Every structure is written in structure tokens, then in C-alpha cells.
Amino acid sequence: MAGAPDEREPGPAAGEPVQQPHVAGRVFPERPPEGKPQHRFLSGFLSNNQKCQLMLLRTLEKNPYVKLLLDAMKHSGCAVNTDRHFSCEDCHGHVSGGFDASTSQIVLCQNNIRSEAHMSRVVTHELIHAFDHCRAHVHWFSNVRHLACSETCVRDRAILSILAVRNISKEVAQKAVAEVFESCFNDLEPFGRIPHNKTYARYAHRDFQNRDRYYSNI
Amino acid sequence: MADGGGGWQPPRPCEAYRAEWKLCRSARHFLHHYYVHGERPSCEQWRRDLARCRDWEERRSAEAQRSLCESERARVQAAQKHALVWTPRQSPPADWHLPLPQEEKDE
């Protein structure tokens, strides 16, 4: 895995587009070495940065998808520390967030995430990347098939997500997704099922907590 | 993981089999499943597993235990049949817990 900061590609390894993005490449201007979140005091009571942090904390406490992913990561040796592994920053364009494999950080775009529901989706999405990074040798930057695999849930969205952070043609992205789709669509870790809504996510979490009993009795 | 012998219990509480069966048979699940897979879900196995779980709870039936194990092993097998695109790690990434490369100094 290319972890050396010097040869890091611009921006995080994977991201989630809000709308149809035309951008690729550098959309995360605040990533190291110089980046520092800018505090803007808007007409609202809290700054974007403060709102982002508050929404993040609520999501981490309440969302069943996120709680399962955090447990699964802890179990895999990648316990998540909020201060270390999350960063609220301003981002260019319409991207909502990303996973920076070179610093093991999830970037949250404080200028683009406007609601707690949106925050929950972004955090879930990026935690899945972090989880894949934790359990497997994912070549985020050098192998577009690996990136495609981590983005695979629905084909078109996977293609859009790749195009948001890689300067490649749509055809190359489509081909990568097509090649890995069968295998990656059926890899349901850590949920064990497709969690269509929170009920499924809660059941999946319950199963995860029950795994010792499960595997010792089959 | 051998069945038989002291200390065995069903892999899931019986209530979990019931909950899965009910979820499987719900209209919402039908829609999700049909949308994703193009066919209706099959829920019969959950019902059988529920019956066997209760059977074991009431009568400690060896046949129920055997069937339940077989059913769950089949589920595990089905989940594992696709090879991963990437190589699994033997241990988590070494830099996961390290401090950030350049700590920002507070002004």
C-alpha cells in the first residue's frame, strides 16, 4: 500500500460525490502538509466546523450502521479514535467526504454536509473504505479495480465515486467496476447482509455481537 | 466447532430465528430482495430453523441440533463462495494508530 506521504496522490483515496461531479484529482485542498480547517462564522450560531463535529458525534453515538462498523474495526485491530481518525475540513467542489489511506483519516467536508442524515451516510460510506483498508491490502492509488471494489454497491454510483477522485475516463471506470462487480457485490462484510435500512443494520449488529456463540456452535 | 457433547446451544437464540423469518416474509423485504436479485426471497429455511431451535429447547432433540448446524454451515458456505479481489491482511495497517505525519501547532 502506498503509504509514504511524499508520493501521495492529490487528495484521499476514495470519496462520495454529492451530485454529478466533473471534478477529479485535487478536491481536498486542506489535506496535509499545510491544511488547517478554516473557521468561518456565518449568520448561524455555530461555524461549519462546529456543526460538522456535532453532527459527527451524534452519528457515532446513534447510527446502527456506524456502530457496527466501529465494532468490526475494533475487532480487526483498527479501533477508531474520533480526534485522530476524523477531520472536518472545507473541500472544493461537491464532494461530501473521503478516506485518506496515507494518513488513516476520514475527511468530512464541513462546507458540503448539511444535515445529520447526510452526515450518517457519508460516515457510513467512508468507514466502509476504512474497514476494507484495515482488513485487506487495498491498492487505493495504483489499482483502480481495488478502488472499484470498495465502491461497489450499485454500479452507477460506484462509477461516479471513482470518477470523483481519479482522473480517468468513464470507460476505464466502467470497465473496472464490471470486472470486479460479481465478487465485490457479494462481499457483505461486516454486515453479512445488504443493510437496506436501519432494521437490517441493527440485526446485522446483533449478529456481529453474537458471533462467538455462533461460530462455536455450528 | 463439532456438535454433540456437553455445552452445545443453538447458534442463535430462537427469538433471532423468528425475527429473521418475520423480516424475510415482510413486504418491505420482498421489495428489496426482488429489486436486487430479480426473484422473490425464500424464507422457508428460517421457518425450519425456528422449528428446530424450539424442538431442541423443548426436547433436546439430537436431530434438531444436527439439522440446525447443517443449515448454518450452508449459510456460511454460501457467503464465502466468492474470492476476494484483494489480499486479506494478516495484521492491521502498522500506521493506523500512529500520530498524524505533521501535527499542527496551535496558534
Side-chain angles (χ1 to χ4, degrees), chain A residues 1 18 20 46 72 80-82 88 92 96 160-161 202:
Chain A
M1 223 290 290
V18 171
Q20 300 269 351
L46 298 173
V80 169
N81 176 285
T82 311
C88 287
H92 287 158
S96 306
L160 284 177
S161 290
R202 281 190 205 100

Side-chain angles (χ1 to χ4, degrees), chain A residues 79-99:
Chain A
V80 169
N81 176 285
T82 311
D83 293 332
R84 166 65 179 84
H85 295 111
F86 286 98
S87 177
C88 287
E89 303 173 6
D90 283 332
C91 308
H92 287 158
H94 301 295
V95 181
S96 306
F99 173 61

Side-chain angles (χ1 to χ4, degrees), chain A residues 32-188:
Chain A
E34 257 81 63
K36 185 179 173 152
Q38 293 171 24
H39 293 271
R40 284 188 284 129
F41 290 96
L42 311 176
S43 54
F45 183 62
L46 298 173
S47 68
N48 275 353
N49 186 267
Q50 289 166 322
K51 283 181 201 159
C52 177
Q53 309 227 27
L54 195 54
M55 288 194 288
L56 170 62
L57 282 175
R58 285 202 190 122
T59 288
L60 294 173
E61 276 166 27
K62 295 191 326 190
N63 187 278
Y65 294 88
V66 170
K67 292 200 302 192
L68 168 53
L69 283 159
L70 292 175
D71 274 358
M73 288 184 66
K74 186 171 173 184
H75 176 71
S76 300
C78 296
V80 169
N81 176 285
T82 311
D83 293 332
R84 166 65 179 84
H85 295 111
F86 286 98
S87 177
C88 287
E89 303 173 6
D90 283 332
C91 308
H92 287 158
H94 301 295
V95 181
S96 306
F99 173 61
D100 187 345
S102 62
T103 56
S104 304
Q105 253 198 343
I106 288 172
V107 178
L108 302 170
C109 299
Q110 63 197 18
N111 56 324
N112 288 332
I113 299 175
R114 296 295 184 195
S115 71
E116 209 172 304
H118 189 187
M119 174 63 81
S120 293
R121 288 195 298 277
V122 177
V123 170
T124 299
H125 182 109
E126 303 308 334
L127 276 173
I128 289 172
H129 291 316
F131 174 72
D132 286 338
H133 176 66
C134 180
R135 65 174 173 138
H137 292 282
V138 183
H139 301 144
W140 297 102
F141 300 112
S142 57
N143 190 328
V144 74
R145 290 169 79 248
H146 283 202
L147 175 59
C149 197
S150 193
E151 298 284 5
T152 289
C153 49
V154 178
R155 269 188 226 254
D156 288 346
R157 282 201 66 88
I159 293 165
L160 284 177
S161 290
I162 294 169
L163 292 174
V165 290
R166 285 292 171 272
N167 193 12
I168 57 177
S169 72
K170 192 171 174 192
E171 288 71 31
V172 171
Q174 283 172 328
K175 183 166 180 287
V177 170
E179 284 172 6
V180 303
F181 192 81
E182 189 63 31
S183 171
C184 303
F185 184 74
N186 286 292
D187 175 13
L188 302 172

Side-chain angles (χ1 to χ4, degrees), chain B residues 4-21:
Chain B
W8 186 87
Q9 56 177 338
R12 312 176 203 240
C14 295
E15 180 48 40
Y17 289 109
R18 184 167 183 273
E20 294 289 357
W21 181 51

